[in-house]
Amino acid sequence: MFFKKKQTERVLPRHIAIIMDGNGRWAKKRSLPRSAGHVAGAKTFKDIARYCNKIGLEYLTVYAFSTENWKRPKDEVEGIMRLLRDYLIDAENFKDENIKVKFLGNLEVLDEDIKALIKKNEEGSKNATGLNLNIAINYGGKDEITRAVRDIVKEGIKSEDITEEVISQHLYTKGMPDPDFIIRPSGEYRLSNYLIWQSAYAEYWFSDILWPDFKPRHLEQAIDEFNHRNRRFGGV
Ligand code: FPP
């Protein structure tokens, strides 16, 4: 008598957050300037976003530029901003793919043309029903929480009415599910001020792969691993 092994359905995380790390080292290994690593990283970002949309992921949030990244050499910062501009102009290509784009972070300080392009992209994709793609720019978790507290005070919300939910609704991610899976390639084991409030119960996946080398198959490996985690949320 033969027993057919029961195939259990793979569960997708609802919200994957990725720290796109290792661009500089990828370039160094090839004796290229760091900017070449970011160019390769931007391509990987687009490929992975498309792949996440294809498999039906609900939310993907990528860390493209942190509040601390301004400390990098001027030409590197300019290079990343140029890539962002190119992406925003090129993002018209994403239109047919039904991806809804949103930018998280303190966007006020960005160049006017970038801000206008961001607005155009968010407006232009707001009715998309596929992947919700969040791009964190000039984002810092501590900065985000500080701003939330300031807004709560400005709105005159009474201290006894301040709940976790109230704080969540004052973050850039308001209305979104918290990330349940955080991926950091490049052999670093840090959160680096990324979604620090939202990731309280997230699972983590670390790998030595440098971001420009990250392929859909690595994402699949990570999702498989996610499926083997026993998520108890503080219970037993
Ligand atoms: C971290 O690697 C990466 C960044 C600070 C920039 C990430 C930017 C991109 C992937 C491209 C731009 C994105 C968009 C949305 C178009 P690192 O430079 O710290 O690498 P290292 O640790 O090896 O030096």
Side-chain angles (χ1 to χ4, degrees):
M1 203 175 181
F2 293 101
F3 291 98
K4 205 170 169 203
K5 188 169 176 271
K6 192 169 175 273
Q7 290 287 316
T8 42
E9 272 291 309
R10 170 179 89 139
V11 177
L12 274 184
R14 269 195 90 185
H15 184 168
I16 297 181
I18 304 184
I19 302 176
M20 305 188 290
D21 196 13
N23 297 344
R25 275 162 288 165
W26 183 91
K28 196 169 176 211
K29 262 171 65 182
R30 289 163 179 76
S31 306
L32 294 168
R34 292 179 58 82
S35 57
H38 295 313
V39 172
K43 181 178 179 311
T44 298
F45 151 70
K46 283 186 251 178
D47 292 346
I48 294 296
R50 284 206 172 90
Y51 185 73
C52 286
N53 189 37
K54 194 174 105 183
I55 61 174
L57 186 75
E58 264 186 87
Y59 288 86
L60 172 70
T61 301
V62 294
Y63 208 0
F65 196 84
S66 76
T67 45
E68 289 75 34
N69 287 152
W70 298 105
K71 288 185 235 153
R72 294 187 176 211
K74 195 166 168 267
D75 63 333
E76 183 173 345
V77 171
E78 279 172 6
I80 296 175
M81 290 301 157
R82 207 173 312 120
L83 282 171
L84 176 63
R85 239 184 223 104
D86 290 350
Y87 164 74
L88 286 164
I89 293 166
D90 202 41
E92 295 289 306
N93 299 338
F94 270 115
K95 260 195 182 143
D96 298 337
E97 295 182 44
N98 203 20
I99 294 178
K100 185 170 172 175
V101 189
K102 197 169 158 41
F103 288 80
L104 314 181
N106 174 10
L107 308 176
E108 288 153 39
V109 299
L110 300 177
D111 287 350
E112 290 304 323
D113 67 314
I114 294 188
K115 279 194 273 191
L117 282 166
I118 284 180
K119 210 168 155 205
K120 191 165 166 239
N121 269 268
E122 288 185 338
E123 278 291 311
S125 68
K126 71 172 185 224
N127 295 322
T129 52
L131 174 71
N132 290 283
L133 173 62
N134 300 320
I135 303 175
I137 298 278
N138 194 25
Y139 174 87
K142 287 190 174 185
D143 180 63
E144 179 184 36
I145 295 167
T146 307
R147 281 161 180 278
V149 173
R150 284 197 193 126
D151 288 345
I152 289 167
V153 171
K154 271 192 229 150
E155 287 166 30
I157 299 175
K158 290 207 227 75
S159 65
E160 59 270 30
D161 293 334
I162 301 173
T163 59
E164 289 184 8
E165 187 52 28
V166 167
I167 294 173
S168 291
Q169 290 312 314
H170 284 79
L171 301 177
Y172 298 124
T173 47
K174 59 176 167 285
M176 302 178 194
D178 283 342
D180 41 3
F181 199 33
I182 303 217
I183 293 179
R184 180 165 195 160
S186 96
E188 308 285 356
Y189 301 87
R190 289 188 292 276
L191 207 42
S192 298
N193 205 11
Y194 192 41
L195 303 170
I196 51 177
W197 172 278
Q198 298 89 332
S199 61
Y201 277 104
E203 295 291 329
Y204 293 81
W205 191 79
F206 298 102
S207 143
D208 287 341
I209 302 149
L210 303 174
W211 175 248
D213 292 327
F214 194 92
K215 299 278 180 276
R217 69 186 148 87
H218 300 120
L219 187 73
E220 284 297 332
Q221 274 171 21
I223 295 172
D224 279 352
E225 167 81 28
F226 178 84
N227 273 259
H228 290 96
R229 302 274 174 96
N230 180 5
R231 309 191 73 214
R232 292 191 299 279
F233 302 98
V236 286

